[in-house]
Amino acid sequence: MSPDIYTVLYGRESINQKLFLLLNHATNPVLDVLMPIATYLGDPWRVYPYLALLLVLFLANRELMPLRYIIVYCIAAFFTILIVERLKSWLHVPRPAAAIGVEHVRVL
């Protein structure tokens, strides 16, 4: 990514920083509880327990969980992890606390 584009998107007072701070400082008691859980459930290592659950459902009832659903899940999970890792290595964007400063970031 060229330095000019990086500065516009991720530099100090950039669009990304302003949008992040707007969302980060918006509070909602329900979402403040749910979002850490959603973050935990979206961890890439959760692919395996989800797959195990799908396989148990498949073995219990093949009409409820056809094999094609499991195959689609595996393909989607593979490409999602691959794309996310490629984007992370390509963009080299630091975490918000490192880029903006830990004193400005609201952590749940």
Side-chain angles (χ1 to χ4, degrees):
M1 182 178 296
S2 76
D4 294 331
I5 294 173
Y6 185 86
T7 303
V8 169
L9 294 177
Y10 302 107
R12 197 153 298 283
E13 297 298 317
S14 66
I15 296 167
N16 190 46
Q17 180 175 337
K18 289 177 183 177
L19 181 60
F20 172 80
L21 290 173
L22 177 71
L23 294 173
N24 183 252
H25 293 290
T27 60
N28 181 310
V30 174
L31 291 179
D32 287 352
V33 172
L34 292 178
M35 293 316 289
I37 296 168
T39 299
Y40 174 78
L41 293 174
D43 186 51
W45 294 106
R46 302 288 175 265
V47 168
Y48 305 111
Y50 294 149
L51 179 58
L53 177 63
L54 294 177
L55 290 172
V56 167
L57 290 172
F58 170 74
L59 294 173
N61 185 345
R62 287 190 167 93
E63 287 182 22
L64 178 66
M65 184 57 59
L67 184 60
R68 68 179 178 273
Y69 290 3
I70 297 171
I71 293 170
V72 168
Y73 172 79
C74 290
I75 292 169
F78 172 77
F79 281 110
T80 300
I81 292 170
L82 181 72
I83 290 168
V84 166
E85 291 305 316
R86 293 287 179 212
L87 285 173
K88 284 180 180 181
S89 67
W90 181 57
L91 295 174
H92 300 289
V93 178
R95 300 298 298 166
I100 298 169
V102 72
E103 65 277 0
H104 300 292
V105 176
R106 182 175 158 261
V107 179
L108 297 177

